[in-house]
Amino acid sequence: MDHSNYVIDEMISAKSIAARVEELAKEISEYFEGTDKLIVVGLLRGSFVFIADLAREFDLPVEIDFMETSSYGNSTESSREVRILKDIRGEIEGRDVLVVEDIVDTGHTLNHVVKLLKARNPKRLKICALLDKPSRREVDIKADWIGFEIPDKFVVGYGIDYAQRNRNLDHIGAVRFVE
Ligand code: IMP
Ligand code: MG
């Protein structure tokens, strides 16, 4: 099948995302209340829109850092082999850390990143993912906060891409290939 022609069916509206982001930020701010600083580690590139919205709702002193892992390339299938393309710049030893991911799919990416960061002895390390596809999980990992649980569909928008496109959509949509 030719994968160049596709349409995007809306799955989660911009309004629903905004409402959920506000709730998540409130819960996370409450959890980390009193922290001297929360280091927010965004996984590039898919989390950039989510992290921008989430971080602006936090009622906490925040530092923003980024890590980039190898992606799917132009495919919709996970490679399962995770490589770190860019590490965070700051130290996290003895710090409060929140890892922010766009989607937890097979779980390999998050599992790898969390292991690596935990080895640096943060004080607390928690995970927030905008989307979760639990039916696709291959390794046992769960985010502490999840925006939305979604079915096994390939999605785009709100930072998330298909072959680097559609990251700028303001909502989340499912990709449907057409002839
Ligand atoms: P995992 O390692 O299989 O859990 O994959 C996680 C990464 O795959 C996410 O950070 C996304 O970048 C990407 N990914 C997983 N599902 C989708 C999707 O439906 N659309 C776009 N990217 C996805
Ligand atoms: Mg990603």
Side-chain angles (χ1 to χ4, degrees), residues 43-47 69-72 101-103 109 161 167:
L43 301 190
L44 291 172
R45 288 173 242 176
S47 71
T69 58
S70 54
S71 76
Y72 286 18
E101 173 64 310
D102 54 356
I103 310 181
T109 305
D161 73 305
R167 290 193 197 273

Side-chain angles (χ1 to χ4, degrees), residues 105-123:
D105 189 37
T106 63
H108 288 285
T109 305
L110 206 50
N111 191 45
H112 187 87
V113 165
V114 163
K115 262 193 204 154
L116 192 117
L117 294 177
K118 277 192 173 160
R120 297 177 191 171
N121 298 312
K123 183 170 156 210

Side-chain angles (χ1 to χ4, degrees), residues 24-42 51 54-66 88 91-92 94-100 122-128 144-145:
L24 290 170
K26 192 160 176 277
E27 283 178 32
I28 296 167
S29 295
E30 277 167 15
Y31 180 85
F32 285 107
E33 196 189 333
T35 186
D36 52 340
K37 180 168 76 179
L38 177 65
I39 302 179
V40 179
V41 175
I51 210 172
L54 192 66
R56 281 180 293 178
E57 298 279 346
F58 282 154
D59 190 13
L60 298 168
V62 157
E63 181 176 314
I64 311 277
D65 211 329
F66 290 101
I88 51 171
E91 301 284 332
I92 58 165
R95 294 293 185 176
D96 282 329
V97 176
L98 180 73
V99 177
V100 178
K123 183 170 156 210
R124 290 182 285 190
L125 186 146
K126 294 282 165 182
I127 307 164
C128 177
D144 300 284
W145 293 279

